Amino acid sequence: MLELCMLASGSSGNAVYVATEKTKILIDAGLSGKRLAAALAAIGSDAAALDALLLSHDHLDHTSGAGVLARRYRLPVYATQPTWHAAEKQLGHIPSGRCHVFTAGGKISFPDLEVETFPVPHDAAGPVGFIFRHGGRAAALVTDLGYVTPYILDCLQNLDGIIIEANHDEEMLLNGSYPWLLKKRISGKTGHLSNVMAAECLKKIISPRTKQVVLAHLSAENNLPSLALDTICSRLEDAGITPGKQLTVRVAARHEPSCRLCFT
Ligand SMILES: [Zn+2]
Ligand SMILES: [Zn+2]
């Protein structure tokens, strides 16, 4: 069994729980240690049972609770060298024996879970996306990226489940209240994926084997869950992919656990 569950999603905090029979890990810890423990308890898991914490990049919405969680539960923490460097102050002291470095593009092996990583274009230090493999099943987590590179497209083939960023609606961002520089940053090549960009990526990676898609990291200001769903599902339908029949497409909740994906 390969299980994934969104614990929180968006610029107010991100964390994803990934579990197999023998391995339980957390990807990112962008909310307080207390809230993370409560979210894990709410899905029937336990922070004390975690085997590791992996960080996608150094932005606070992915790391704000990481130091506390790692110390409280004596968790090994995995991050790229640039992420360690950029997040050093904010993470605080973590004993060196529990600090692990992986390279973007490298693999992390747990007893019954393989985690592949790939670099993503984002304005952070050494940011990565993830593919989780267990028992012939595979699911990906890819958020916080300005665009989908050909290499990422290659990495995202033949997946059972896909968690992908659908950060903003391009018109809402353009016409919204954000300062021009911030709009430029978000829509730029190292910013965040729009609904349309997520749809275009999904069209190229959904295969007959893909059963579950989760839209993640939605902007509170520049997107709406219904708009993200409508935009993406209508584009998939135009491409001959029928959400609801062939696969489910859901939107991750911002503040509470949601969207459990389970592959047996
Ligand atoms: Zn983020
Ligand atoms: Zn980020």
Side-chain angles (χ1 to χ4, degrees):
M1 176 204 66
L2 174 62
E3 179 190 355
L4 295 90
C5 188
M6 311 301 290
L7 299 184
S9 188
S11 56
S12 45
N14 296 275
V16 182
Y17 175 70
V18 181
T20 61
E21 282 81 359
K22 291 184 189 161
T23 308
K24 289 162 184 31
I25 62 173
L26 200 62
I27 310 297
D28 292 334
L31 40 166
S32 71
K34 204 175 166 183
R35 279 190 59 208
L36 281 165
L40 286 163
I43 61 163
S45 188
D46 182 357
L50 288 173
D51 296 300
L53 168 63
L54 279 58
L55 300 177
S56 64
H57 63 297
D58 58 290
H59 286 162
L60 271 181
D61 58 321
H62 299 258
T63 58
S64 64
V68 169
L69 198 78
R71 279 184 289 280
R72 191 170 294 164
Y73 299 100
R74 300 179 157 274
L75 285 177
V77 182
Y78 294 74
T80 62
Q81 190 63 59
T83 297
W84 273 117
H85 186 68
E88 194 180 3
K89 267 194 192 146
Q90 193 250 312
L91 290 176
H93 178 69
I94 295 170
S96 58
R98 298 208 299 270
C99 298
H100 299 268
V101 176
F102 65 83
T103 47
K107 274 186 197 172
I108 306 160
S109 296
F110 296 97
D112 63 348
L113 175 69
E114 284 278 305
V115 182
E116 294 170 11
T117 69
F118 51 88
V120 294
H122 188 54
D123 53 0
V128 297
F130 299 94
I131 293 171
F132 309 97
R133 296 189 190 277
H134 165 79
R137 298 297 199 170
L141 170 65
V142 57
T143 68
D144 298 73
L145 70 169
Y147 70 106
V148 179
T149 64
Y151 178 72
I152 295 174
L153 271 185
D154 273 356
C155 293
L156 296 178
Q157 299 299 315
N158 294 315
L159 297 169
D160 299 284
I162 303 162
I163 301 166
I164 187 168
E165 168 166 68
N167 178 261
H168 58 276
D169 173 79
E170 287 164 14
E171 278 193 22
M172 279 181 81
L173 177 65
L174 193 67
N175 299 320
S177 62
Y178 279 11
W180 181 78
L181 266 179
L182 185 55
K183 289 181 183 181
K184 205 176 150 194
R185 189 218 137 213
I186 291 169
S187 60
K189 286 220 153 193
T190 55
H192 291 274
L193 284 192
S194 70
N195 294 336
V196 168
M197 292 166 97
E200 291 309 305
C201 175
L202 286 168
K203 277 158 65 174
K204 292 175 189 148
I205 61 173
I206 287 173
S207 72
R209 124 175 212 189
T210 311
K211 296 290 177 252
Q212 300 196 46
V213 171
V214 172
L215 309 179
H217 214 301
L218 268 71
S219 166
E221 286 271 332
N222 304 307
N223 210 350
L224 297 165
S226 57
L227 181 58
L229 262 183
D230 287 351
T231 306
I232 288 166
C233 289
S234 68
R235 281 176 178 257
L236 292 181
E237 277 165 31
D238 290 346
I241 302 161
T242 317
K245 262 190 175 175
Q246 181 181 338
L247 77 171
T248 62
V249 182
R250 294 177 285 173
V251 176
R254 179 172 304 281
H255 296 296
E256 64 272 340
S258 68
C259 298
R260 182 171 175 264
L261 295 86
C262 192
F263 305 102
T264 50

